[in-house]
């Protein structure tokens, strides 16, 4: 094979390899993301539960205060009972007492409800906190593994870059700029093999006349259909 063409085939392989590293690196990052999303969600749930528990506790305190007020009031009513002068006053006091007792019942029911709500949510909170701790631990482990994978991928990518730059320094500048121009639109398929008389870039068949010319030639040739640089598949490229 033409020496320049041989270099371009190699160069194109390096460019392809370099591009292929990015999705691999991204894939590693995505892996971690799915785990950190679980951690974020659990953290949000923990925060929500704290709010609910705090709210229940605050309401319970308010009910306690209210109960104390009601008990004072009932004492006051009892005191007034002794001083009642007639039936009408007694009845009015009885009504007042009834209302206060109803309020006491209601406050006690509220307290029971709030206490059991706080208990249930506290239990839920403990479960989620344990889950969160476990998840955080696995994220930590996973992150270490992923960071290592990424570092290795970056290292390999850099060594391909290095190999590429060594090669680039030996490629004839005209040949290189010819390749770069095609690469601008063809990207990683700027240099493609011909297989079964077809260009492997655009998959169009090369006509017999062109194909025999191409087969006999030792020059850099481009596909007449797409303009990519083509080389003979059977010949080893390195
Ligand atoms: Zn083509």
């Amino acid at each position: 094979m033409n020496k320049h063409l041989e270099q371009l085939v190699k160069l194109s392989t390096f460019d392809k390899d370099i591009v292929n590293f990015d999705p691999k690196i991204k894939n590693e990052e995505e892996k971690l993301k799915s785990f950190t999303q679980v951690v974020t969600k659990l953290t949000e749930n923990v925060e929500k539960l704290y709010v609910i528990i705090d709210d229940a506790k605050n309401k319970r305190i308010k009910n306690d205060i209210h109960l104390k007020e009601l008990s004072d009031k009932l004492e006051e009513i009892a005191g007034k009972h002794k001083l009642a002068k007639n039936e009408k006053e007694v009845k009015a006091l009885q009504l007042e007492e009834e209302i206060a007792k109803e309020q006491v019942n209601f406050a006690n029911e509220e307290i029971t409800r709030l206490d059991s709500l706080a208990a249930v949510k506290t239990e839920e909170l403990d479960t989620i906190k344990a889950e969160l701790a476990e998840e955080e631990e696995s994220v930590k482990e996973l992150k270490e593994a992923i960071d290592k994978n990424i570092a290795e991928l970056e290292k390999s990518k850099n060594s391909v870059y290095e190999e590429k730059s060594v090669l680039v320094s030996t490629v004839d500048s005209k040949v290189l700029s010819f390749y770069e121009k095609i690469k601008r639109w063809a990207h990683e398929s700027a240099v493609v093999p011909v297989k079964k008389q077809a260009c492997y870039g655009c998959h169009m068949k090369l006509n017999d006349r062109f194909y025999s010319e191409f087969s006999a030639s030792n020059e850099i040739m481009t596909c007449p259909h797409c303009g990519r640089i083509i080389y003979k598949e059977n010949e080893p490229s390195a």
Side-chain angles (χ1 to χ4, degrees):
M1 194 188 284
N2 174 314
K3 179 191 150 222
H4 298 300
L5 183 57
E6 202 175 297
Q7 286 175 325
L8 289 186
V9 172
K10 252 194 211 172
L11 187 55
S12 170
T13 307
F14 286 149
D15 281 334
K16 227 177 279 172
D17 287 346
I18 289 167
V19 167
N20 284 339
F21 277 113
D22 292 336
K24 282 182 200 157
I25 292 169
K26 209 171 166 208
N27 189 37
E28 290 293 320
E29 286 162 351
E30 289 297 320
K31 253 197 261 172
L32 187 65
K33 213 188 263 174
S34 65
F35 275 81
T36 50
Q37 272 167 354
V38 173
V39 168
T40 308
K41 190 135 205 207
L42 287 171
T43 308
E44 277 169 12
N45 285 345
V46 165
E47 279 161 13
K48 271 183 208 158
L49 284 168
Y50 271 125
V51 170
I52 293 170
I53 292 165
D54 274 353
D55 185 56
K57 285 183 176 166
N58 285 333
K59 280 182 181 156
R60 201 228 200 260
I61 292 169
K62 275 184 195 157
N63 274 286
D64 281 338
I65 294 168
H66 191 43
L67 268 183
K68 177 79 181 61
E69 286 166 357
L70 288 168
S71 122
D72 289 349
K73 191 171 187 182
L74 282 168
E75 235 173 80
E76 192 192 315
I77 292 168
K80 279 183 186 170
H81 256 299
K82 288 171 197 158
L83 305 170
K85 292 185 195 91
N86 52 46
E87 186 85 355
K88 203 181 159 197
E89 276 185 19
V90 169
K91 277 206 168 154
L93 286 168
Q94 274 171 346
L95 184 65
E96 223 181 308
E97 193 180 19
E98 239 170 72
I99 291 167
K101 277 181 178 167
E102 247 172 59
Q103 286 175 329
V104 167
N105 283 340
F106 183 73
N108 278 325
E109 274 168 26
E110 250 324 79
I111 286 170
T112 309
R113 189 186 72 82
L114 291 166
D115 282 353
S116 85
L117 177 71
V120 167
K121 293 295 168 188
T122 303
E123 210 175 298
E124 215 175 294
L125 177 66
D126 290 342
T127 310
I128 293 181
K129 271 161 95 178
E131 228 175 287
L132 178 62
E134 211 174 286
E135 202 67 30
E136 275 172 336
E137 188 56 37
S138 40
V139 164
K140 206 182 126 198
E141 280 168 25
L142 188 71
K143 194 179 181 313
E144 275 166 23
I146 285 174
D147 284 349
K148 206 176 140 207
N149 289 350
I150 290 176
E152 267 165 29
L153 286 167
E154 296 280 8
K155 202 176 145 199
S156 310
K157 187 179 169 181
N158 284 339
S159 80
V160 176
Y161 262 121
E162 269 169 42
E163 276 184 86
K164 183 193 160 180
S165 73
V166 170
L167 175 64
V168 164
S169 69
T170 67
V171 178
D172 176 85
S173 66
K174 272 187 195 159
V175 173
L176 187 63
S177 87
F178 181 62
Y179 165 74
E180 294 290 351
K181 270 181 203 154
I182 295 170
K183 206 188 138 201
R184 230 178 275 166
W185 58 266
H187 307 289
E188 285 64 56
S189 68
V191 183
V192 292
V194 169
K195 290 180 185 176
K196 290 179 187 162
Q197 209 177 319
C199 162
Y200 208 60
C202 65
H203 303 286
M204 295 278 278
K205 198 168 182 218
L206 306 175
N207 69 42
D208 293 344
R209 216 184 102 197
F210 180 86
Y211 186 66
S212 64
E213 195 188 320
F214 165 72
S215 300
S217 168
N218 196 32
E219 296 303 306
I220 293 179
M221 289 179 80
T222 55
C223 168
H225 304 292
C226 69
R228 287 181 175 88
I229 297 164
I230 46 176
Y231 66 93
K232 295 169 196 84
E233 228 275 283
N234 298 339
E235 267 184 65
S237 61

